Amino acid sequence: MWKLLQRSGNAVSVLPRRRCSPGLSDAVRLSSSQMDSADERVLRKRKFQPQQAADLSEELAGQLPVKSRVVICGGGITGASVAYHLGLRGWGGETLLVEQDRVGGELPWTACGLAGRFEPSYTELKLAEYSIDLIKRLAENGLPTGWRPVGSLNLARSWDRMTAFNRMKSQALAWGMHCEILSPEQCAQHCELLSLDGIEGGLWIPEDGVCDPQLVCQAYMTEAQRLGVRIVEHCAIKKIHSEHGKVRSVETTAGDVECEYFVNCTGFWAREVGTLSKPVVKVPLKAVEHHYLHTKPIEGLSPDTPFVRDFDGRIFFRECEGHILAGGFEREAKMVYEDGVIPLSQTARQHPPDWDHFHELLDALLLRVPSFRDATLDRLTNSLQVFSPDCKWILGEAPEIQNYYVAAGNKTMGVSASGGIGRVLTDLITKGSTYLDLHILDISRFLGLHNNRKFLRDRCKEAPGKHFEINYPFEEFQTGRNLRMSPIYPQLKEAGAVFGQSMGYERPNYFDQQDKQDEFGLPRFRIAQTRTFGKPPWFDHVASEYRACRERIGIADYSSFTKYDFWSKGNEVVDLLQYLCSNDVDVAVGSIIHTGMQNPNGGYENDCSLARLSERHYMMIAPTIQQTRSMCWIRKHMPNHLRAKVNVADVTSMYTAICILGPYSRILLSELTDTDLTPKSFPFFTYKELDVGLADGIRVLNITHTGELGYVLYIPNEYALHVYSRLYQAGQKFNIQHAGYYATRALRIEKFYAFWGQDLDTFTTPLECGRSWRVKFNKPIDFIGRNALLKQREEGVKRMYVQLLLNDHDHEVDMWCWGGEPIYRDGVYVGMTTTTGYGYTFEKQVCLGFVRNFDDEGRELPVTNEYVLSGHYEVEVAGVRFEAKVNLHSPNLPTKFPDREREAYQATRDKPDQADLLSYGGVTTVKGTGIPTDGHGL
């Protein structure tokens, strides 16, 4: 069906859906019958096979070294950046880059060329910032990059979007980014083309710019070759071989190359290249259609026109060599290659444009810039892009094979990401660490389920649309749901659960008794949504659950937590854990130890609880997001002499975890078991295996991770429904109530408990967050990170973990803290919040975060208790500052049901020197409790 769009002065024919628009190369229109027989054979196969190049093998064999320390697969902008940075590090002569086609083979109209800093996280922003600075330096050195510092203008059509801009403006000082909030009129001053219809304001980032991705790629390649990197084109990888879990060699169409490191920078084909090794490296990516509209040259169009994004219209446009380049992100992307067959050449990636699918974006573009109606269309290109399931970049060492690195999923922002990614991957390869915490981008954030082709098909329809959506707190995906569920999931749904998802696991975020059934009277599956920066719609529900946990009994599903079992025949399991953990794990059987697994710099790679089940058997409980990551860390750092003697098993899916918490939880559990649960028999931070109801073999831990009295029951799945039913029925007399993640989160924030991935990361040490008492420097085995922590203890910490209570903040009308708010001491910026929430006991906003000490020249100085407590604090929330009271230790909250064990325990302590008193070899107790404080039972 043909459409004709009338333009004042011009008539532009919009071509039918199945046909290419004028200006596309003939190669795009090749049918399968026109392709060569080799391509046909590949396209008929579901399994990915590399491009055949037999006719070039003899010629390439002379170019291919027999051995190379690093082999990079992929000659796009990311692979070129990695090669360049390896060359800078002095590894150029030991680096080989292979490309199945030509390096920088992207067609010139398949990228927008934005080099911008507008990113949702500090890590992504800093990677983009480095990339932009690098492009500038290359241009200054005479290399063509197409760089022009035109700035970026980001438009808002809603109050919430302006709030998001104000939040970014508040963060800008901390993140080192210059930006300005604009009125609608000021937006028009930066870009005269704009219609201000519906515009509330904007965010101007003057240091952003545009460039030519092809030229930048060629600049990287030129410099890489100058630094000794060998580049071989028309050479495809056929297999990646490993030995003893590490990369050994690669097999190419021109011969084999022995190597120590392999880097998968194949972008569009990264998932398929992952299948060329055994075991398969899972790189969860899916291709979707992505359109770029190009006009003919427009007379009088300024080359200084900024890069404009109308986020709420889902569109962007820029000036490009005298014409307009425009595009956008649809709410629901259109999938391609759903049968799993991926073409190998760049030209085969070009699909005919789909005007029907692009029409919504075209309407938004013409609304924002009415003068474009007079422009003449050059082409609409359908240049496919790949997205990850969470719409973030994928970096890091593959969980399946050591020394196999991945850099993929850069969406349409490859040029903005390329320089930073090249730098951090080079750091990881050459030094084992880098200058940024990368856990939010690390490939180990995924499970195998995320690589499922049908899951990717569903999720990646939604993911590209998230790129321009408002980054609301606790935002949830709507697709790929009801995947991992505990056995009690149907009962929780029936009870009114509103779910969130973590690592594919459905867990209740809160419970709402209204509208919990569908039109047929069946329990409705509901996904939690916040959709505001102020008081959330679930506030009252969480308040009720919070009170139940503090005053009666709450029951919560903890099943998503990561669970590992460690065991050995001899004492090897103790030796391994003593080496991996900074606390002393050689505790009495039945004890629970809370410990970090530090990296060589002292930062947290994992924060976990270990229950000693027997002399040679431990159970580890870790955050949900650690399920893949922890196993990678343990396997990589297990000493060789222990590998054959210690067994580590991921038992996450074997146990349902139910937490009962509140002042009556001990009485409730006592009614369902014959075991004595008095504090003397079953004290805080200990473990017992109990019979509960009619079930046996229930692993019960006397902790709740919230500071409240209670227990977590790890139940074999076949008993889960029975145990849950007995607990819930017996709890009716105590008015038991379901509690979701938001309620338990509020409890732990008030109790000043730090969580990995939110407060703790790979750059945070125990000494910085009030946990030095959990580090046993004197234990008999030298643990990872010990030297770095000793050095830090001697020199003093450069930042300190604090709790801030906001004064004069009205939770009903003021914008809330959601994490990432700047902290000011005596009017000077000193840090950022990490986890925040409303304290239902304090009746205040509660912020956790880190403060630093800067001198007048911006240099960091040691942070002491006296420094922290002597200042006057403010927290800036979306541009408004609120006074705050600071705490350095976990508070004792007022309660009608005091518990001496809990009151004596402080997860965060304000005296770092306690570590000396609690060191290995001397056992003391907390006065009046009998709780050992050397880590035995803590």
Side-chain angles (χ1 to χ4, degrees):
M1 180 178 182
W2 289 77
K3 295 180 180 179
L4 190 68
L5 292 183
Q6 296 295 333
R7 301 285 183 265
S8 55
N10 293 287
V12 180
S13 294
V14 181
L15 300 179
R17 182 172 177 174
R18 305 293 296 178
R19 186 172 173 184
C20 293
S21 62
L24 288 179
S25 74
D26 291 339
V28 180
R29 296 193 288 270
L30 290 177
S31 67
S32 59
S33 63
Q34 295 171 292
M35 296 179 183
D36 59 47
S37 58
D39 277 341
E40 284 187 11
R41 286 196 298 273
V42 171
L43 292 174
R44 280 199 297 266
K45 293 180 181 292
R46 182 175 297 275
K47 183 179 178 182
F48 176 78
Q49 290 188 355
Q51 187 164 305
Q52 300 299 314
D55 56 326
L56 296 175
S57 59
E58 292 184 7
E59 176 186 343
L60 294 177
Q63 300 181 33
L64 213 64
V66 176
K67 184 175 181 180
S68 182
R69 195 171 187 181
V70 183
V71 172
I72 302 168
C73 181
I77 195 166
T78 303
S81 175
V82 174
Y84 165 65
H85 284 88
L86 283 167
L88 287 178
R89 196 58 55 85
W91 287 36
E94 301 174 285
T95 299
L96 168 70
L97 185 148
V98 297
E99 163 59 42
Q100 67 168 357
D101 199 345
R102 294 178 297 107
V103 297
E106 289 275 359
L107 298 174
W109 52 80
T110 60
C112 68
L114 170 66
R117 292 168 171 80
F118 194 105
E119 297 294 347
S121 72
Y122 176 79
T123 298
E124 292 163 288
L125 182 141
K126 284 300 179 183
L127 290 174
E129 182 178 77
Y130 174 82
S131 300
I132 296 169
D133 291 342
L134 176 58
I135 292 169
K136 289 180 184 177
R137 290 199 303 271
L138 292 173
E140 291 168 357
N141 291 336
L143 291 165
T145 62
W147 166 254
R148 288 185 290 126
V150 297
S152 69
L153 177 60
N154 307 281
L155 305 176
R157 299 190 190 184
S158 68
W159 173 255
D160 278 2
R161 180 72 69 179
M162 284 303 297
T163 301
F165 286 173
N166 276 290
R167 285 176 55 81
M168 174 161 276
K169 177 69 169 63
S170 292
Q171 294 169 339
L173 175 63
W175 290 0
M177 182 180 76
H178 177 57
C179 62
E180 304 171 24
I181 297 294
L182 303 181
S183 67
E185 293 73 24
Q186 289 172 318
C187 292
Q189 292 173 10
H190 283 283
C191 183
E192 296 178 353
L193 299 171
L194 293 176
S195 164
L196 299 181
D197 184 23
I199 295 299
E200 296 287 337
L203 181 74
W204 171 247
I205 307 177
E207 295 172 351
D208 285 355
V210 293
C211 59
D212 185 328
Q214 276 196 313
L215 292 178
V216 173
C217 181
Q218 292 296 339
Y220 288 152
M221 287 293 188
T222 299
E223 289 296 281
Q225 287 181 300
R226 181 179 65 81
L227 295 166
V229 175
R230 183 174 297 191
I231 298 171
V232 179
E233 296 178 322
H234 305 292
C235 177
I237 297 289
K238 296 171 68 176
K239 287 185 180 179
I240 300 98
H241 298 284
S242 60
E243 188 174 64
H244 304 304
K246 294 184 178 181
V247 170
R248 185 194 71 200
S249 64
V250 296
E251 181 181 337
T252 79
T253 51
D256 295 354
V257 181
E258 184 181 341
C259 61
E260 294 179 39
Y261 300 92
F262 176 77
V263 190
N264 180 349
C265 295
T266 51
F268 188 78
W269 297 274
R271 183 174 184 268
E272 283 63 42
V273 170
T275 66
L276 301 180
S277 61
K278 291 185 179 180
V280 167
V281 170
K282 300 177 181 67
V283 187
L285 293 169
K286 187 73 179 77
V288 303
E289 293 189 358
H290 187 70
H291 290 83
Y292 291 102
L293 184 146
H294 296 253
T295 71
K296 294 288 188 181
I298 299 174
E299 185 177 354
L301 182 63
S302 171
D304 294 326
T305 300
F307 192 104
V308 178
R309 284 179 284 199
D310 181 351
F311 286 101
D312 300 301
R314 298 178 174 274
I315 57 168
F316 62 83
F317 67 89
R318 58 161 289 201
E319 184 275 340
C320 181
E321 297 180 353
H323 71 272
I324 288 293
L325 184 161
F329 295 89
E330 306 89 336
R331 283 182 174 82
E332 183 175 309
K334 186 179 176 184
M335 296 290 103
V336 289
Y337 312 130
E338 295 193 53
D339 61 356
V341 178
I342 307 292
L344 294 170
S345 68
Q346 292 283 4
T347 52
R349 272 178 57 186
Q350 301 299 306
H351 271 218
D354 185 343
W355 281 100
D356 290 340
H357 196 65
F358 186 74
H359 197 275
E360 180 183 355
L361 301 180
L362 179 61
D363 288 344
L365 183 64
L366 296 178
L367 171 67
R368 190 53 51 221
V369 190
S371 62
F372 285 176
R373 295 177 181 274
D374 298 325
T376 303
L377 175 70
D378 182 11
R379 63 169 64 88
L380 179 71
T381 62
N382 189 353
S383 307
L384 310 181
Q385 299 289 343
V386 288
F387 287 80
S388 68
D390 59 1
C391 202
K392 291 185 180 296
W393 308 332
I394 300 178
L395 306 177
E397 187 176 29
E400 297 85 358
I401 303 175
Q402 289 183 37
N403 296 344
Y404 185 127
Y405 287 85
V406 177
N410 298 340
K411 307 172 286 189
T412 61
M413 307 300 293
V415 70
S416 290
S418 62
I421 289 173
R423 177 182 175 182
V424 296
L425 277 188
T426 296
D427 285 345
L428 293 174
I429 291 169
T430 60
K431 300 191 302 182
S433 63
T434 187
Y435 71 107
L436 290 171
D437 175 71
L438 298 175
H439 81 268
I440 63 168
L441 304 177
D442 199 292
I443 191 172
S444 64
R445 71 185 187 270
F446 296 116
L447 293 168
L449 66 91
H450 295 111
N451 199 47
N452 179 289
R453 185 168 55 84
K454 293 182 179 179
F455 171 83
L456 287 170
R457 180 192 62 194
D458 290 347
R459 174 58 61 82
C460 290
K461 288 180 181 178
E462 181 184 8
K466 293 283 188 183
H467 195 52
F468 270 19
E469 286 190 358
I470 297 173
N471 189 24
Y472 284 114
F474 305 133
E475 193 69 1
E476 293 281 344
F477 283 96
Q478 306 297 305
T479 53
R481 304 303 296 257
N482 283 320
L483 184 55
R484 298 180 78 195
M485 297 168 283
S486 72
I488 63 173
Y489 167 82
Q491 281 63 38
L492 299 174
K493 185 166 69 168
E494 186 175 356
V498 183
F499 290 95
Q501 190 183 62
S502 181
M503 293 293 276
Y505 229 111
E506 298 292 350
R507 62 183 183 189
N509 280 353
Y510 64 94
F511 289 80
D512 181 2
Q513 300 305 312
Q514 302 297 319
D515 196 33
K516 65 179 184 179
Q517 295 181 336
D518 62 19
E519 62 270 27
F520 304 107
L522 299 174
R524 185 192 304 272
F525 173 67
R526 294 175 294 175
I527 298 174
Q529 296 290 347
T530 300
R531 293 279 166 178
T532 180
F533 293 104
K535 179 183 176 182
W538 38 259
F539 178 87
D540 293 333
H541 303 299
V542 174
S544 176
E545 297 166 22
Y546 174 95
R547 286 192 295 269
C549 297
R550 293 272 290 148
E551 300 172 5
R552 305 188 310 277
I553 299 180
I555 183 168
D557 184 4
Y558 281 12
S559 300
S560 67
F561 281 10
T562 296
K563 315 169 194 76
Y564 291 175
D565 271 8
F566 296 77
W567 72 96
S568 63
K569 291 183 178 180
N571 206 47
E572 295 86 0
V573 66
V574 180
D575 293 341
L576 172 64
L577 291 173
Q578 289 283 55
Y579 174 66
L580 294 175
C581 300
S582 53
N583 208 338
D584 180 17
V585 305
D586 192 6
V587 294
V589 172
S591 296
I592 300 170
I593 194 77
H594 199 110
T595 182
M597 291 185 181
Q598 319 310 138
N599 56 40
N601 296 320
Y604 278 95
E605 291 294 334
N606 186 16
D607 181 48
C608 59
S609 297
L610 288 167
R612 192 166 193 177
L613 311 185
S614 69
E615 287 289 338
R616 301 177 182 120
H617 190 180
Y618 290 80
M619 182 183 192
M620 184 189 85
I621 310 300
T624 303
I625 58 175
Q626 282 276 1
Q627 188 171 352
T628 302
R629 181 185 178 89
S630 287
M631 189 64 76
C632 296
W633 181 259
I634 292 164
R635 286 175 175 168
K636 185 171 183 176
H637 293 86
M638 185 180 292
N640 289 330
H641 70 282
L642 298 177
R643 290 186 181 275
K645 299 177 181 179
V646 180
N647 298 285
V648 185
D650 183 350
V651 297
T652 300
S653 298
M654 293 174 59
Y655 291 92
T656 299
I658 297 176
C659 178
I660 54 172
L661 63 165
Y664 295 112
S665 55
R666 181 182 288 130
I667 300 172
L668 169 61
L669 188 57
S670 295
E671 294 182 2
L672 299 175
T673 185
D674 297 329
T675 304
D676 181 7
L677 302 183
T678 60
K680 183 177 181 180
S681 176
F682 193 8
F684 188 36
F685 262 85
T686 58
Y687 147 88
K688 285 184 181 296
E689 185 172 298
L690 303 181
D691 294 346
V692 179
L694 306 183
D696 70 334
I698 312 300
R699 297 177 178 181
V700 180
L701 278 62
N702 188 345
I703 54 174
T704 64
H705 308 288
T706 66
E708 300 300 318
L709 174 66
Y711 307 88
V712 184
L713 288 70
Y714 291 91
I715 310 161
N717 283 336
E718 63 269 28
Y719 294 141
L721 186 56
H722 168 78
V723 173
Y724 164 81
S725 299
R726 288 298 180 96
L727 288 169
Y728 194 66
Q729 291 166 8
Q732 293 304 307
K733 66 174 72 71
F734 304 107
N735 198 14
I736 193 171
Q737 185 173 339
H738 289 95
Y741 167 70
Y742 292 167
T744 56
R745 181 179 181 275
L747 288 164
R748 73 98 174 166
I749 291 173
E750 278 195 318
K751 290 292 182 69
F752 203 179
Y753 280 31
F755 268 29
W756 194 92
Q758 299 177 44
D759 309 293
L760 311 179
D761 59 28
T762 58
F763 279 73
T764 305
T765 73
L767 278 65
E768 295 169 345
C769 59
R771 294 182 171 198
S772 56
W773 56 280
R774 286 180 178 164
V775 179
K776 302 303 181 288
F777 292 106
N778 297 337
K779 68 179 184 177
I781 291 181
D782 190 8
F783 60 89
I784 299 173
R786 179 177 180 273
N787 291 337
L789 293 177
L790 282 171
K791 181 180 179 183
Q792 188 180 56
R793 186 173 69 168
E794 180 180 343
E795 296 177 351
V797 298
K798 298 294 178 64
R799 61 178 188 155
M800 191 174 291
Y801 191 46
V802 299
Q803 183 187 63
L804 295 159
L805 309 180
L806 267 58
N807 297 322
D808 301 323
H809 182 280
D810 188 337
H811 74 277
E812 294 285 350
V813 297
D814 291 323
M815 292 296 103
W816 279 32
C817 301
W818 294 105
E821 289 81 15
I823 302 170
Y824 290 85
R825 178 186 179 275
D826 297 337
V828 178
Y829 167 77
V830 292
M832 299 285 280
T833 65
T834 50
T835 305
T836 62
Y838 184 76
Y840 290 92
T841 296
F842 287 132
E843 296 184 345
K844 294 177 182 289
Q845 287 282 315
V846 182
C847 301
L848 309 182
F850 290 87
V851 298
R852 299 175 182 267
N853 183 7
F854 299 101
D855 66 15
D856 293 338
E857 297 180 0
R859 293 173 299 197
E860 284 191 287
L861 303 175
V863 178
T864 63
N865 292 356
E866 292 73 20
Y867 167 82
V868 172
L869 296 173
S870 63
H872 172 265
Y873 288 87
E874 295 171 299
V875 175
E876 184 170 308
V877 185
V880 180
R881 294 190 189 182
F882 296 91
E883 290 187 357
K885 177 184 179 299
V886 67
N887 286 328
L888 278 174
H889 59 83
S890 296
N892 286 323
L893 302 181
T895 176
K896 300 175 184 177
F897 308 94
D899 181 82
R900 291 197 303 171
E901 286 184 306
R902 266 66 179 179
E903 289 178 356
Y905 176 76
Q906 293 180 340
T908 305
R909 302 183 180 178
D910 63 347
K911 295 181 179 179
D913 57 351
Q914 278 184 291
D916 296 328
L917 300 175
L918 307 177
S919 58
Y920 181 87
V923 180
T924 61
T925 60
V926 176
K927 184 177 180 181
T929 68
I931 302 174
T933 62
D934 64 338
H936 295 249
L938 290 181

